[in-house]
Amino acid sequence: MTPDRADPLETTETLAAFPARVTQARGETLEDVAFLSGAALCRLHVVLARVETPGTLLRDRLALRAAEACVAFSGRPERAADLRDAVHLLRPGDLPGPAGETALSWRRAVERPVSAAGMQRALPSLESTRLAAWLDTGSGAPVSRAARVFEAVLTEAPRAEVAALTLADAALARALGWDRVVPLLAPGLGRADLRRRGEDLRLACHRALAESAAEAVRLAGDLGRRTAHLSAVAPKLRAKGAGEAVAMFRTRDAVAASALPLPDRAARRLCDRLVDLGAVRELTGRETFRLYGV
């Protein structure tokens, strides 16, 4: 699926301004919500194709949101800040815990092109042949295909909600011609929706995608502005390795100073400098073990 050539006068920011007929409409029938989800997915498709959209960063941040939703579905108390800590402050040999495993699973799911092998890296407890069979379950329109994959996974493995949501998003991405998973279903679905089947499930998926795809477009516009500012201030940075550090901030939801390709003190100074320049934000509010992101 190749997007139509975008209007050169349009930007990701203007594309993020959805028509009121999409954002304010409240469809009740399957036909109504299919129109709304289709409109939102079409706009997102165009935004993802634009060169100024930081797609890798967008997917990483959406992966965090999907992980947060999945953790909430399981009844655990961890939220985005806890999941960032579990992933970015993990030391070699440490175990991330159940919530951290969910966050890592979603991050791995968005890192590589959609395939059974890529999905097994994200979901290592499942066999690649089984994953491939699930991915090929769906047929028809993209959202219907995703819903069928979701239902097929939970029919065979009723407690595998993370796998079901990941593979449903993978099926959606494949149907839309996206090379990587864009996490959309988990943030838009409610816990009760996980028990729906058949047409009720398709209706829930359309509603979820109408909301989450529109939110992804808005997030893309925000991240596009922020990464453009980061690129604009990059020439002011004099530290050796600053270019590699900027590249990391442009592709990751969060970065610890210790992960930057600089000595510890220089890395902390660079992060402070970027905060002063308004190019990145400190995400934790702590004095130690800080994380930074655009």
Side-chain angles (χ1 to χ4, degrees):
M1 181 174 179
T2 302
D4 294 334
R5 187 175 298 276
D7 186 334
L9 297 179
E10 283 188 315
T11 65
T12 300
E13 185 172 357
T14 59
L15 285 166
F18 264 76
R21 64 181 178 274
V22 175
T23 58
Q24 296 175 13
R26 292 294 180 268
E28 293 299 327
T29 69
L30 184 58
E31 182 180 11
D32 290 338
V33 293
F35 168 78
L36 297 175
S37 67
L41 287 168
C42 183
R43 185 66 67 96
L44 177 58
H45 185 71
V46 173
V47 167
L48 290 173
R50 298 189 69 89
V51 295
E52 67 267 30
T53 298
T56 303
L57 173 59
L58 175 65
R59 289 189 296 270
D60 201 35
R61 190 148 293 176
L62 290 173
L64 177 70
R65 293 186 177 185
E68 185 178 31
C70 288
V71 168
F73 292 152
S74 71
R76 297 189 62 87
E78 293 90 346
R79 293 299 177 261
D82 306 300
L83 298 179
R84 281 184 173 127
D85 284 353
V87 169
H88 297 287
L89 301 181
L90 190 67
R91 295 179 178 178
D94 287 350
L95 297 176
E101 286 286 1
T102 298
L104 286 170
S105 177
W106 276 107
R107 291 195 79 214
R108 290 167 183 153
V110 304
E111 287 176 348
R112 297 187 179 185
V114 177
S115 67
M119 291 301 97
Q120 190 181 35
R121 182 173 179 270
L123 304 163
S125 64
L126 300 173
E127 296 179 357
S128 60
T129 53
R130 196 178 189 192
L131 291 170
W134 279 330
L135 275 176
D136 290 336
T137 297
S139 61
V143 180
S144 295
R145 190 178 303 184
R148 289 190 180 100
V149 170
F150 179 86
E151 186 169 351
V153 175
L154 289 186
T155 297
E156 288 190 47
R159 301 185 64 180
E161 288 92 353
V162 173
L165 289 163
T166 303
L167 292 170
D169 272 328
L172 181 70
R174 179 181 281 181
L176 291 171
W178 299 343
D179 66 338
R180 283 172 170 76
V181 172
V182 180
L184 295 173
L185 280 168
L189 291 171
R191 185 179 297 182
D193 294 327
L194 304 184
R195 297 189 294 273
R196 300 185 191 277
R197 298 293 181 267
E199 185 169 314
D200 286 344
L201 176 60
R202 291 197 299 276
L203 188 68
C205 288
H206 278 295
R207 284 184 175 138
L209 290 166
E211 177 183 341
S212 58
E215 178 56 32
V217 170
R218 288 189 287 268
L219 179 60
D222 180 57
L223 294 177
R225 289 191 300 272
R226 292 180 179 276
T227 54
H229 179 57
L230 175 61
S231 296
V233 304
K236 300 179 181 180
L237 306 173
R238 298 288 181 254
K240 186 177 181 181
E244 294 178 62
V246 167
M248 292 174 67
F249 283 115
R250 285 180 57 85
T251 57
R252 301 188 188 185
D253 164 68
V255 179
S258 59
L260 297 176
L262 292 89
D264 287 347
R265 184 174 297 179
R268 290 194 297 270
R269 284 200 303 265
L270 177 64
C271 290
D272 290 341
R273 174 68 169 150
L274 287 170
V275 170
D276 290 342
L277 291 170
V280 303
R281 297 169 293 162
E282 201 287 310
L283 301 172
T284 69
R286 298 187 296 244
E287 291 299 320
T288 58
F289 300 106
R290 291 179 161 187
L291 297 174
Y292 302 83
V294 299

